[in-house]
Amino acid sequence: MKEHMAQFRFYEELNDFLPPDQRKEAVNYSFNGCPAIKDPIEAMGVPHTEVELIIVNGESVGFEYRLRVGDRVAVYPVCESLDVLPLVRLRPEPLRRTAFVLDVHLGKLARILRLLGFDVLYRNDFNDEEIIRISLAEHRIILTRDRPMLFNKIITHAHWLHSTDAEEQAVEVLQRFDLFGRVQMFHRCPVCNGFVQPVEKEHVLDRLEPLTKKYYDLFFKCSDCGKIYWQGTHYDRILQRLERIRRS
């Protein structure tokens, strides 16, 4: 079978998935037959979950487009803050109810996102199959550092985190999904993801240390796990950290 050639160019953070010599360059791709364009994109190392827009010869196409000889392909990353309509959107719709499920390596990020008020499912014993099942069943966006998982064809909404630092990851998530305006600090429990609500001091007196009883009057309680919170000496430090993330 005769081998054909097309040219691909990947933009912005999609280059992180490519070998160094292919980044920010037009790359020739050899192929046989007429493969769906999703296949060469993933063969070159870019998960379909990271792609939002494909332009072939100046026209937007879907993943099902069949690659042809001489095609010039531009591939752009997902940006939930950018509405690409009336161009071809590659997944049904953005998840405007923004909820996440995180892989086992992202415990620190889970805590930060919960402190920022976002709905985050995390357990340190989740396997890939559970994460994907939860994502599809509950319409949650997968956040992961595990590239191979993102090549699973049934995943619709996911993001591979570029940074290994939890604070930088939080900023990356806020930017990627345009969430700065949705921050509601201290509305969720960082331990279990439940909602945190005010509670009368007399209702939790038996759970407080003597000095806490003496110096603090404003308390909050998680509706799920029952953990008690107050604005202790650690509060200002956490608040400064969250404000630093939000200002980014």
Side-chain angles (χ1 to χ4, degrees), residues 4-6 31 33-35 56-57 65-72:
H4 304 311
M5 190 79 70
F31 63 98
C34 299
V56 178
N57 306 324
Y65 173 83
R66 296 288 172 175
L67 195 62
R68 295 179 293 189
V69 179
D71 278 347
R72 298 172 64 87

Side-chain angles (χ1 to χ4, degrees), residues 110-139:
R111 179 179 177 84
I112 292 174
L113 290 178
R114 287 169 177 172
L115 284 168
L116 290 168
F118 296 105
D119 183 354
V120 176
L121 284 189
Y122 168 82
R123 282 209 328 255
N124 62 10
D125 60 350
F126 274 153
N127 59 42
D128 288 359
E129 290 74 17
E130 287 178 295
I131 291 172
I132 294 170
R133 178 185 57 77
I134 291 169
S135 171
L136 296 176
E138 302 184 17
H139 304 291

Side-chain angles (χ1 to χ4, degrees), residues 3 7 14 34 40 42 54 82 108-109 137 156 180 194 196 212 215 237:
E3 191 174 73
Q7 191 176 82
L14 295 183
C34 299
E42 295 205 316
I54 304 171
L82 174 64
K108 292 181 180 178
L109 174 62
T156 59
F180 289 97
V196 174
T212 304
Y215 290 110
R237 173 177 52 81

Side-chain angles (χ1 to χ4, degrees), residues 99-111:
F100 301 99
V101 55
L102 276 57
D103 76 24
V104 297
H105 306 290
L106 300 176
K108 292 181 180 178
L109 174 62
R111 179 179 177 84

Side-chain angles (χ1 to χ4, degrees), residues 37-54:
I37 201 166
K38 180 180 178 182
D39 296 333
I41 288 173
E42 295 205 316
M44 296 175 78
V46 178
H48 70 277
T49 54
E50 298 296 302
V51 177
E52 178 71 350
L53 183 64
I54 304 171

Side-chain angles (χ1 to χ4, degrees), residues 52-56 58-62 74 76 82-92:
E52 178 71 350
L53 183 64
I54 304 171
I55 303 292
V56 178
E59 300 288 336
S60 63
V61 302
Y76 295 87
L82 174 64
D83 188 357
V84 300
L85 293 176
L87 302 176
V88 176
R89 187 178 285 280
L90 299 179
R91 48 196 49 78

Side-chain angles (χ1 to χ4, degrees), residues 150-170:
L150 297 184
F151 288 93
N152 190 307
K153 296 184 183 301
I154 66 174
I155 295 175
T156 59
H157 293 79
H159 177 58
W160 180 74
L161 291 156
H162 296 246
S163 176
T164 58
D165 177 82
E167 238 180 83
E168 292 177 1
Q169 289 171 343

Side-chain angles (χ1 to χ4, degrees), residues 183-247:
V183 170
Q184 292 182 296
M185 291 190 289
F186 305 112
H187 277 227
R188 284 189 178 269
C189 174
V191 175
C192 79
N193 197 47
F195 285 106
V196 174
Q197 300 172 334
V199 62
E200 295 295 332
K201 183 176 181 178
E202 59 264 27
H203 294 164
V204 295
L205 277 175
D206 59 333
R207 300 177 57 185
L208 304 178
E209 297 293 333
L211 290 180
T212 304
K213 292 180 184 179
K214 180 177 180 180
Y215 290 110
Y216 298 97
D217 295 308
L218 187 61
F219 293 91
F220 303 85
K221 182 179 179 181
C222 174
S223 58
D224 287 358
C225 71
K227 186 173 177 62
I228 306 299
Y229 295 95
W230 62 94
Q231 295 180 3
T233 55
H234 59 291
Y235 174 79
D236 286 340
R237 173 177 52 81
I238 296 174
L239 180 61
Q240 288 174 6
R241 186 185 191 194
L242 298 181
E243 287 290 1
R244 183 167 63 246
I245 291 170
R246 186 163 68 170
R247 286 196 303 270

